[in-house]
Amino acid sequence: EEVSGAALLALNDRMVQQLVKKIGHQAVLMDLIKKYQQQKSGLESLTYCCETASQKFPEVVSGKNLKTFYARHKTLQWTSSYALPDFPYDVKCILAEKKCPDHSMRIRIIEFLQADMTKYLEGSLYPNSQQYNIVVNALLQAYPFLDEDGNGFLLWKRALKDRFKYVRRPIEDDEQVLRNKCKFGHRRGQSRKSSFAENKHDDVQGQVEEEPAHLKGSAMDLHIKWLNREYMKTQRNWEEVDNRMNVTIEIRRKMISDKAPLKDILRLFPFLRCPYQLFREFQLLTHMDIYKKTVEILEIYSENILSLYVVRNNPINIMLQENLKQHTEEDVLKYMKMTAACLLLPEVFGDDSSLFAAVNEEVKAVTPVMEVKNPFNVNSCEFALYIEREELAQLDDCTMALAALVAAFHVFDIPCPKRIHRTLNFLESLVFEVRSPASLP
């Protein structure tokens, strides 16, 4: 295409789209071009940024904290300035008509959001959870009809995360991709994070009733083998996964009621490791949306929990107060308070917190327990659910981890330990809308 020297630096987004076919490669090329363009002005902008930062945050920009400052500065930029990309004409037409897009159109929207996020991230292919939240919130605020049945936020976020995974997959020699694969223990064909799927929710109970009550052993075996093959894929057919999980629910519930080993259950039905399917199984059993209920509980009770005298000098609360001073954005403050309220629940009820969550320490409990690392660091926080001291699933945030904890006790029919009974009784009474729900002490 006779692109060299100055012509390379003059390429804009549209030119790159014509030049390079794959969106992931477009993003990488644009990143390289921008890096060369910024070489001349980089030193001046860095000096200005440091001077500004030293005036506003003198304690932050000492040498060893410079990296932390820039990570935080980037997050602040996202919060204050993110705007949706200019979608292609055909996408605009669908959105203008307020029609729910079909599968192919959803993919088009997700592709453009992913490419746009990569530009904001200056070429990085690893957004953090808050940045995903900002983009999906912007999409749903601009086009509320995309929220579908109230599950839109989680569905679009899951689809966007899957798109980033898909783009990262072929870039084996990228330094950041290799570094993150080592960090997160990536193994070919396996995915550590899988939560909400890119599919429209139907009435799941109705779907189950439409399936035949009994199937021949050979047919059941084919369903189980299909589920295991599909679980190993990066791009999954979530609609078909839902259908086959419906068909196999009877044998799965029988295994669980007969106290089959958890490893055997997960070996046959690995999708129970996905939070979306764990929550869906809970809904099939109870007719309750556990995630939605958990969000409501923490939104209603977080301020009350944090104001109680019993938690005032708790290390979690002290850690929270220190981190609150470093942020001013409402969504970040709300996220931190809900996280703290969740982790402090056992303290409020005088229960054993080690049976509830292991914060920055090793999981010791055999029953379901949350593992939480760096709970108030929006860039490096990690949440996981453990059962029998083995990781079942990684979660996006503390709210999802709490929902998974409560769901796991019911889905896997695990008795609640006495030393955590009051905390779980409080949560379950609110989830199941008991007439006289348990109250805070």
Side-chain angles (χ1 to χ4, degrees):
E1 298 291 337
E2 299 181 0
V3 176
S4 62
L8 176 66
L9 298 182
L11 290 176
N12 59 31
D13 290 2
R14 186 163 295 279
M15 293 175 186
V16 170
Q17 286 175 13
Q18 293 175 352
L19 186 67
V20 184
K21 183 178 179 182
K22 292 189 176 180
I23 287 181
H25 297 168
Q26 291 172 15
V28 172
L29 178 56
M30 284 305 300
D31 175 48
L32 292 171
I33 292 170
K34 284 181 181 178
K35 282 179 180 175
Y36 282 112
Q37 289 171 338
Q38 289 167 356
Q39 276 187 350
K40 290 181 182 178
S41 59
L43 188 58
E44 292 103 347
S45 62
L46 178 64
T47 305
Y48 171 77
C49 195
C50 286
E51 287 174 354
T52 307
S54 61
Q55 294 167 9
K56 290 185 178 180
F57 312 103
E59 78 288 354
V60 176
V61 293
S62 60
K64 68 177 183 179
N65 288 331
L66 197 59
K67 184 178 178 183
T68 306
F69 163 71
Y70 282 123
R72 179 171 171 244
H73 182 66
K74 188 178 289 186
T75 303
L76 290 172
Q77 284 181 316
W78 271 76
T79 306
S80 60
S81 66
Y82 182 77
L84 288 173
D86 188 24
F87 288 116
Y89 179 75
D90 58 334
V91 175
K92 285 181 180 177
C93 290
I94 292 293
L95 295 175
E97 294 172 5
K98 296 185 178 181
K99 290 182 179 178
C100 279
D102 60 18
H103 183 69
S104 61
M105 190 59 68
R106 286 170 68 93
I107 291 174
R108 293 260 288 149
I109 294 171
I110 288 296
E111 284 177 348
F112 272 82
L113 289 178
Q114 178 267 314
D116 193 58
M117 286 179 73
T118 304
K119 292 173 193 172
Y120 267 82
L121 287 164
E122 299 175 357
S124 170
L125 296 173
Y126 286 90
N128 62 41
S129 186
Q130 190 197 2
Q131 288 163 341
Y132 281 117
N133 293 347
I134 289 167
V135 172
V136 176
N137 276 326
L139 179 70
L140 297 185
Q141 284 176 12
Y143 308 105
F145 59 91
L146 295 178
D147 196 19
E148 299 176 4
D149 300 324
N151 298 310
F153 177 84
L154 293 164
L155 298 179
W156 284 99
K157 182 177 178 181
R158 176 70 262 163
L160 193 53
K161 292 179 81 173
D162 282 346
R163 178 64 194 173
F164 267 96
K165 283 163 64 177
Y166 178 76
V167 170
R168 289 195 298 261
R169 191 179 179 191
I171 310 176
E172 296 292 342
D173 57 345
D174 181 83
E175 181 184 348
Q176 190 189 24
V177 173
L178 290 171
R179 188 167 63 248
N180 278 275
K181 282 187 175 182
C182 293
K183 177 181 175 183
F184 294 111
H186 178 84
R187 291 189 284 281
R188 183 173 177 83
Q190 294 185 0
S191 171
R192 289 188 59 172
K193 282 193 176 184
S194 264
S195 52
F196 281 80
E198 183 198 348
N199 71 299
K200 186 172 181 179
H201 281 237
D202 296 308
D203 181 354
V204 288
Q205 184 63 25
Q207 290 178 347
V208 172
E209 291 171 356
E210 290 174 7
E211 299 292 347
H214 299 282
L215 287 171
K216 294 180 181 178
S218 58
M220 192 65 68
D221 188 51
L222 288 174
H223 288 304
I224 291 171
K225 285 180 178 177
W226 185 93
L227 288 167
N228 275 264
R229 286 196 303 270
E230 194 69 11
Y231 183 75
M232 300 304 290
K233 296 179 182 178
T234 303
Q235 295 246 320
R236 295 155 177 167
N237 182 344
W238 287 102
E239 186 174 354
E240 187 62 21
V241 169
D242 288 352
N243 292 336
R244 293 186 188 245
M245 288 294 282
N246 287 346
V247 172
T248 56
I249 188 169
E250 187 176 333
I251 188 172
R252 189 163 58 252
R253 299 319 306 168
K254 188 174 190 314
M255 285 181 70
I256 291 170
S257 64
D258 290 345
K259 304 300 179 188
L262 181 64
K263 287 183 178 179
D264 291 348
I265 296 165
L266 295 175
R267 181 173 54 81
L268 294 179
F269 303 102
F271 277 101
L272 288 178
R273 292 180 179 275
C274 300
Y276 163 68
Q277 285 296 335
L278 186 66
F279 297 160
R280 191 172 178 276
E281 190 95 347
F282 182 90
Q283 189 169 2
L284 291 172
L285 298 172
T286 65
H287 305 283
M288 290 292 176
D289 185 335
I290 182 69
Y291 181 79
K292 182 179 178 182
K293 287 289 180 184
T294 305
V295 171
E296 291 172 357
I297 292 168
L298 290 180
E299 285 182 340
I300 292 169
Y301 286 92
S302 58
E303 293 288 352
N304 289 339
I305 291 168
L306 296 175
S307 68
L308 294 173
Y309 179 80
V310 70
V311 304
R312 187 165 298 174
N313 297 318
N314 187 280
I316 296 289
N317 200 16
I318 293 170
M319 201 188 314
L320 168 70
Q321 298 307 322
E322 290 174 353
N323 281 273
L324 287 178
K325 296 172 186 175
Q326 300 174 23
H327 295 273
T328 56
E329 313 92 312
E330 286 187 18
D331 58 336
V332 175
L333 298 178
K334 180 182 176 183
Y335 163 82
M336 287 185 173
K337 288 179 179 179
M338 288 173 66
T339 299
C342 170
L343 298 176
L344 288 168
L345 266 177
E347 301 293 335
V348 172
F349 288 95
D351 280 342
D352 185 347
S353 58
S354 69
L355 297 176
F356 188 77
V359 182
N360 293 332
E361 60 184 31
E362 185 182 349
V363 172
K364 297 175 182 176
V366 178
T367 50
V369 65
M370 293 181 283
E371 184 200 50
V372 183
K373 294 179 181 177
N374 310 316
F376 304 114
N377 187 322
V378 293
N379 293 313
S380 65
C381 55
E382 293 180 21
F383 302 91
L385 177 67
Y386 274 66
I387 305 180
E388 297 180 1
R389 299 193 188 95
E390 296 284 338
E391 183 184 298
L392 181 82
Q394 288 213 352
L395 297 312
D396 289 345
D397 51 45
C398 205
T399 308
M400 188 179 285
L402 180 59
L405 177 76
V406 176
F409 277 102
H410 286 266
V411 169
F412 297 110
D413 195 20
I414 298 171
C416 172
K418 287 185 179 180
R419 287 181 292 156
I420 201 71
H421 175 73
R422 282 171 292 193
T423 302
L424 287 179
N425 182 54
F426 168 74
L427 293 167
E428 289 176 352
S429 68
L430 294 170
V431 169
F432 295 121
E433 301 176 354
V434 176
R435 285 187 179 181
S436 301
S439 57
L440 293 172

